[in-house]
Amino acid sequence: MDADTHYRALVDDHVTGRVPLAGSVARFAAPLRAAWVDDRADDRVEGLAWAAGGAVAADATEPAHHARLADLLAGVRALGPLTRSPDGAVCTVWGLTVFTDLPCVGAQLREALDVHPSATPALFAFAAHLTRAGVLDFSGWAGWSEVAGDGPGV
């Protein structure tokens, strides 16, 4: 199964309640951990993180899923930084630490604004939800939200 299919299925299973939070977090982490720790395929990590962020962003177009998506991301962050033994090297993508910084989620949300223009209010609402929940900080999006006419800033 390719990364996009894996993460889309994972997100769908999570938001519909077919898989509990702990199982969803484990499924989110497994390909990234395998690529970084087991396979030492550092070049694959960015693609996996991009696919994971894309699945979350695509599903964030549905406001009813925001709370469960935020719980999933908070659970992934709680794993702590993705490291590799024995040297303790920390896995990063674009200077952001995998798991704790959730690299690619913000970039994919920004991309989703272009791909799903009719879902702009839902995407800004999700960014605001993540900010209020302390999962990720999208407070810098406040100006964009106001310009887009989607209500109060993030």
Side-chain angles (χ1 to χ4, degrees):
M1 178 182 310
D2 72 1
D4 289 324
T5 303
H6 170 83
Y7 283 107
R8 285 192 177 118
L10 176 159
V11 166
D12 185 58
D13 287 346
H14 179 70
V15 299
T16 58
R18 287 189 296 265
V19 176
L21 179 60
S24 296
V25 169
R27 282 176 59 192
F28 190 103
L32 291 156
R33 186 171 281 122
W36 176 251
V37 176
D38 301 334
D39 301 339
R40 296 189 174 264
D42 303 5
D43 56 325
R44 279 197 12 235
V45 173
E46 181 179 338
L48 291 167
W50 185 255
V56 169
D59 206 68
T61 60
E62 178 55 58
H65 296 171
H66 290 177
R68 291 192 60 86
L69 288 171
D71 289 345
L72 173 62
L73 295 178
V76 171
R77 287 193 71 210
L79 295 172
L82 177 58
T83 60
R84 180 167 50 207
S85 295
D87 60 358
V90 175
C91 184
T92 62
V93 171
W94 306 338
L96 300 171
T97 303
V98 172
F99 296 161
T100 54
D101 294 337
L102 300 167
C104 300
V105 171
Q108 283 284 37
L109 280 176
R110 175 59 189 92
E111 289 287 318
L113 292 169
D114 292 334
V115 173
H116 307 285
S118 64
T120 296
L123 293 166
F124 278 117
F126 182 58
H129 185 105
L130 293 175
T131 300
R132 284 190 309 274
V135 176
L136 287 171
D137 182 8
F138 286 99
S139 58
W141 283 33
W144 288 3
S145 178
E146 291 164 8
V147 168
D150 296 317
V154 173

